[in-house]
Coordinates of all heavy atoms in Angstrom, one line a residue:
T232 N -15.0 6.3 -16.0 CA -16.1 5.6 -15.3 C -15.5 4.3 -14.8 O -14.7 3.6 -15.5 CB -17.2 5.2 -16.4 OG1 -17.7 6.4 -17.0 CG2 -18.3 4.4 -15.7
V233 N -15.7 4.0 -13.5 CA -15.2 2.8 -12.9 C -16.4 2.0 -12.3 O -17.2 2.6 -11.6 CB -14.2 3.2 -11.8 CG1 -13.6 1.9 -11.1 CG2 -13.1 4.1 -12.3
T234 N -16.4 0.7 -12.5 CA -17.4 -0.2 -11.9 C -16.6 -1.1 -11.0 O -15.4 -1.3 -11.1 CB -18.1 -1.0 -12.9 OG1 -17.2 -1.9 -13.7 CG2 -18.9 -0.1 -13.9
G235 N -17.3 -1.7 -10.1 CA -16.7 -2.6 -9.1 C -16.1 -1.8 -7.9 O -15.3 -2.3 -7.2
V236 N -16.6 -0.6 -7.7 CA -16.1 0.2 -6.6 C -16.7 -0.2 -5.3 O -17.9 -0.4 -5.2 CB -16.4 1.7 -6.9 CG1 -16.0 2.6 -5.7 CG2 -15.7 2.2 -8.1
E237 N -15.9 -0.4 -4.3 CA -16.4 -0.8 -3.0 C -16.4 0.3 -2.0 O -17.2 0.4 -1.1 CB -15.5 -2.0 -2.5 CG -15.7 -3.2 -3.3 CD -14.8 -4.4 -2.9 OE1 -13.9 -4.1 -2.0 OE2 -14.9 -5.5 -3.4
E238 N -15.4 1.2 -2.2 CA -15.3 2.4 -1.2 C -14.4 3.5 -1.8 O -13.4 3.2 -2.5 CB -14.7 1.9 0.1 CG -14.5 2.9 1.1 CD -13.9 2.4 2.4 OE1 -13.4 1.3 2.4 OE2 -13.9 3.2 3.4
V239 N -14.8 4.7 -1.6 CA -14.0 5.8 -2.0 C -13.2 6.2 -0.8 O -13.8 6.6 0.3 CB -14.8 7.0 -2.5 CG1 -13.9 8.2 -2.8 CG2 -15.6 6.7 -3.8
L240 N -11.9 6.1 -0.8 CA -11.0 6.3 0.4 C -10.7 7.8 0.6 O -10.8 8.2 1.7 CB -9.7 5.5 0.2 CG -9.9 4.0 0.1 CD1 -8.6 3.3 -0.3 CD2 -10.5 3.4 1.3
R241 N -10.5 8.5 -0.5 CA -10.3 10.0 -0.4 C -10.3 10.5 -1.8 O -10.1 9.8 -2.8 CB -9.0 10.3 0.3 CG -7.7 9.9 -0.4 CD -6.5 10.2 0.4 NE -5.3 9.7 -0.3 CZ -4.7 10.4 -1.3 NH1 -5.1 11.6 -1.7 NH2 -3.7 9.9 -1.9
F242 N -10.5 11.8 -1.9 CA -10.5 12.5 -3.2 C -10.3 14.0 -3.0 O -10.7 14.6 -2.0 CB -11.8 12.2 -4.0 CG -13.0 12.8 -3.4 CD1 -13.5 14.1 -3.8 CD2 -13.8 12.1 -2.5 CE1 -14.6 14.6 -3.3 CE2 -15.0 12.6 -2.0 CZ -15.4 13.8 -2.4
D243 N -9.6 14.6 -4.0 CA -9.5 16.0 -4.1 C -9.3 16.3 -5.6 O -9.5 15.4 -6.4 CB -8.3 16.6 -3.3 CG -7.0 16.0 -3.6 OD1 -6.7 15.7 -4.8 OD2 -6.1 15.9 -2.8
E244 N -9.0 17.6 -5.9 CA -9.0 17.9 -7.4 C -7.8 17.3 -8.1 O -7.8 17.3 -9.4 CB -9.0 19.4 -7.6 CG -7.8 20.1 -7.0 CD -8.0 21.6 -7.2 OE1 -9.1 22.1 -7.3 OE2 -6.9 22.3 -7.2
N245 N -6.8 16.7 -7.4 CA -5.7 16.1 -8.1 C -5.6 14.6 -8.0 O -4.9 14.0 -8.7 CB -4.4 16.7 -7.6 CG -4.3 18.2 -7.9 OD1 -4.6 18.6 -9.0 ND2 -3.9 19.0 -6.9
E246 N -6.3 14.0 -7.0 CA -6.3 12.6 -6.8 C -7.6 12.0 -6.3 O -8.3 12.7 -5.5 CB -5.2 12.2 -5.8 CG -3.8 12.4 -6.2 CD -2.8 11.9 -5.2 OE1 -3.2 11.7 -4.0 OE2 -1.7 11.7 -5.6
V247 N -7.9 10.8 -6.8 CA -9.1 10.1 -6.3 C -8.5 8.7 -5.9 O -8.0 8.0 -6.8 CB -10.2 10.0 -7.3 CG1 -11.4 9.1 -6.7 CG2 -10.7 11.3 -7.7
E248 N -8.7 8.3 -4.7 CA -8.3 6.9 -4.3 C -9.5 6.1 -3.9 O -10.3 6.5 -3.1 CB -7.3 7.1 -3.1 CG -6.7 5.7 -2.6 CD -5.7 5.9 -1.5 OE1 -5.5 7.0 -1.0 OE2 -5.1 4.9 -1.2
L249 N -9.6 4.9 -4.5 CA -10.7 4.1 -4.2 C -10.3 2.6 -4.1 O -9.3 2.2 -4.6 CB -11.8 4.3 -5.2 CG -11.4 4.3 -6.7 CD1 -12.1 3.2 -7.4 CD2 -11.8 5.7 -7.2
R250 N -11.1 1.9 -3.4 CA -11.0 0.4 -3.3 C -12.0 -0.2 -4.2 O -13.1 0.0 -4.2 CB -11.2 0.0 -1.9 CG -10.8 -1.5 -1.7 CD -10.7 -1.9 -0.2 NE -11.6 -1.2 0.6 CZ -12.7 -1.7 1.2 NH1 -13.0 -2.9 1.0 NH2 -13.5 -0.9 2.0
T251 N -11.4 -1.1 -5.1 CA -12.3 -1.8 -6.1 C -12.3 -3.3 -5.8 O -11.5 -3.7 -4.9 CB -11.8 -1.6 -7.5 OG1 -10.6 -2.3 -7.7 CG2 -11.6 -0.1 -7.8
S252 N -13.1 -4.0 -6.5 CA -13.1 -5.5 -6.3 C -11.8 -6.1 -6.8 O -11.5 -7.3 -6.5 CB -14.2 -6.1 -7.1 OG -14.2 -5.8 -8.4
R253 N -10.9 -5.4 -7.5 CA -9.6 -5.9 -8.0 C -8.4 -5.2 -7.3 O -7.3 -5.2 -7.8 CB -9.6 -5.7 -9.5 CG -10.6 -6.5 -10.2 CD -10.2 -8.0 -10.1 NE -11.2 -8.8 -10.9 CZ -11.2 -10.0 -10.9 NH1 -10.3 -10.7 -10.2 NH2 -12.0 -10.7 -11.6
G254 N -8.7 -4.5 -6.2 CA -7.6 -3.8 -5.5 C -7.7 -2.3 -5.5 O -8.7 -1.7 -6.0
R255 N -6.8 -1.7 -4.8 CA -6.8 -0.2 -4.6 C -6.4 0.5 -5.9 O -5.5 0.1 -6.6 CB -5.9 0.2 -3.5 CG -6.1 1.6 -3.0 CD -5.4 1.8 -1.6 NE -4.0 1.3 -1.6 CZ -3.0 2.1 -1.9 NH1 -3.1 3.4 -2.2 NH2 -1.8 1.6 -1.9
L256 N -7.2 1.5 -6.3 CA -6.9 2.3 -7.5 C -6.7 3.7 -7.2 O -7.6 4.3 -6.5 CB -8.1 2.1 -8.5 CG -8.1 2.9 -9.8 CD1 -6.9 2.5 -10.7 CD2 -9.4 2.7 -10.6
L257 N -5.7 4.3 -7.7 CA -5.4 5.7 -7.5 C -5.5 6.4 -8.9 O -4.8 6.0 -9.8 CB -4.0 5.9 -6.9 CG -3.5 7.3 -6.7 CD1 -4.5 8.0 -5.7 CD2 -2.1 7.4 -6.2
V258 N -6.3 7.4 -9.0 CA -6.5 8.2 -10.2 C -5.8 9.6 -10.0 O -6.2 10.2 -9.0 CB -8.0 8.4 -10.6 CG1 -8.1 9.2 -11.8 CG2 -8.7 7.0 -10.7
R259 N -4.9 10.0 -10.8 CA -4.3 11.3 -10.7 C -4.6 12.1 -11.9 O -4.7 11.6 -13.0 CB -2.8 11.1 -10.5 CG -2.3 10.5 -9.2 CD -0.8 10.5 -9.1 NE -0.5 9.9 -7.8 CZ 0.3 8.9 -7.6 NH1 0.9 8.3 -8.7 NH2 0.6 8.4 -6.4
G260 N -4.7 13.4 -11.7 CA -5.0 14.3 -12.8 C -5.1 15.7 -12.3 O -4.6 16.1 -11.3
E261 N -5.9 16.5 -13.1 CA -6.1 17.9 -12.8 C -7.6 18.2 -12.8 O -8.3 17.6 -13.7 CB -5.4 18.8 -13.7 CG -3.9 18.7 -13.6 CD -3.2 19.6 -14.7 OE1 -3.8 20.3 -15.4 OE2 -2.0 19.5 -14.8
D262 N -8.1 19.0 -12.0 CA -9.5 19.4 -11.9 C -10.5 18.2 -11.9 O -11.5 18.2 -12.6 CB -9.9 20.3 -13.1 CG -9.1 21.6 -13.1 OD1 -8.9 22.2 -12.0 OD2 -8.6 22.1 -14.2
L263 N -10.1 17.2 -11.1 CA -10.9 16.0 -11.0 C -12.1 16.3 -10.1 O -12.0 16.9 -9.0 CB -10.1 14.9 -10.4 CG -8.9 14.4 -11.2 CD1 -8.2 13.3 -10.4 CD2 -9.3 14.0 -12.6
H264 N -13.3 15.9 -10.6 CA -14.6 16.1 -9.8 C -15.3 14.8 -9.9 O -15.5 14.2 -11.0 CB -15.4 17.2 -10.4 CG -14.7 18.5 -10.5 ND1 -14.5 19.3 -9.4 CD2 -14.1 19.2 -11.5 CE1 -13.8 20.4 -9.7 NE2 -13.5 20.3 -11.0
V265 N -15.8 14.3 -8.7 CA -16.6 13.1 -8.7 C -18.0 13.6 -9.1 O -18.7 14.3 -8.4 CB -16.6 12.5 -7.3 CG1 -17.6 11.3 -7.2 CG2 -15.2 12.0 -6.9
G266 N -18.4 13.2 -10.3 CA -19.7 13.6 -10.8 C -20.8 12.6 -10.5 O -22.0 13.0 -10.2
R267 N -20.5 11.3 -10.4 CA -21.5 10.3 -10.1 C -20.9 9.3 -9.2 O -19.8 8.8 -9.4 CB -22.0 9.7 -11.4 CG -23.1 8.6 -11.2 CD -23.5 8.0 -12.5 NE -22.4 7.1 -13.0 CZ -21.8 7.4 -14.2 NH1 -22.1 8.4 -14.9 NH2 -20.8 6.6 -14.6
L268 N -21.6 9.0 -8.1 CA -21.1 8.0 -7.1 C -22.3 7.2 -6.7 O -23.3 7.7 -6.1 CB -20.4 8.7 -5.9 CG -20.0 7.8 -4.8 CD1 -19.0 6.7 -5.3 CD2 -19.4 8.6 -3.7
A269 N -22.3 5.9 -7.0 CA -23.4 5.0 -6.6 C -22.7 3.7 -6.0 O -22.4 2.8 -6.7 CB -24.2 4.6 -7.8
I270 N -22.4 3.8 -4.7 CA -21.7 2.7 -4.0 C -22.6 1.4 -4.0 O -22.0 0.3 -4.1 CB -21.3 3.1 -2.5 CG1 -20.3 4.2 -2.6 CG2 -20.8 1.9 -1.8 CD1 -19.0 3.9 -3.2
E271 N -23.9 1.6 -3.9 CA -24.8 0.4 -3.9 C -24.5 -0.4 -5.2 O -24.5 -1.7 -5.1 CB -26.2 0.8 -3.9 CG -26.6 1.7 -2.7 CD -26.3 3.1 -2.9 OE1 -26.4 3.6 -4.1 OE2 -25.9 3.8 -2.0
S272 N -24.4 0.2 -6.3 CA -24.2 -0.5 -7.6 C -22.7 -0.6 -7.9 O -22.3 -1.3 -8.9 CB -24.9 0.2 -8.7 OG -24.5 1.5 -9.0
G273 N -21.8 0.1 -7.2 CA -20.4 0.1 -7.4 C -19.9 0.9 -8.6 O -18.9 0.5 -9.2
E274 N -20.6 2.0 -8.9 CA -20.2 2.8 -10.1 C -19.7 4.2 -9.6 O -20.3 4.8 -8.7 CB -21.4 3.0 -11.0 CG -21.8 1.7 -11.7 CD -22.9 1.9 -12.7 OE1 -23.0 3.0 -13.3 OE2 -23.8 1.0 -12.7
L275 N -18.7 4.7 -10.3 CA -18.1 6.0 -10.0 C -17.8 6.7 -11.3 O -17.3 6.1 -12.3 CB -16.8 5.8 -9.2 CG -16.0 7.1 -9.0 CD1 -16.7 7.9 -7.9 CD2 -14.6 6.8 -8.6
G276 N -18.2 7.9 -11.4 CA -17.9 8.8 -12.6 C -17.0 10.0 -12.2 O -17.4 10.6 -11.2
V277 N -16.0 10.2 -12.9 CA -15.1 11.3 -12.6 C -14.9 12.1 -13.8 O -14.6 11.6 -14.9 CB -13.7 10.8 -12.1 CG1 -12.7 12.0 -11.8 CG2 -13.8 10.0 -10.8
D278 N -15.0 13.5 -13.7 CA -14.7 14.4 -14.8 C -13.4 15.2 -14.5 O -13.1 15.4 -13.3 CB -15.9 15.4 -14.9 CG -17.2 14.7 -15.3 OD1 -17.2 13.8 -16.1 OD2 -18.2 15.1 -14.7
G279 N -12.7 15.6 -15.5 CA -11.5 16.3 -15.3 C -10.4 15.7 -16.3 O -10.7 14.9 -17.1

C-alpha cells in the first residue's frame, strides 16, 4: 500500500513505476497486480 501517489507512470506483472510526493518509486516483483488505485486520494494497492 502506497500513499502520496501522484501518478502511475507504467505497470506490468513485474514492475510498477509511479511518481509520489517524495520522488519516483519503482516496485519490482512477480505477479504484481494493481488492485486499488485512487489518484484523487493518492492511494495505490498492489498484490503479488
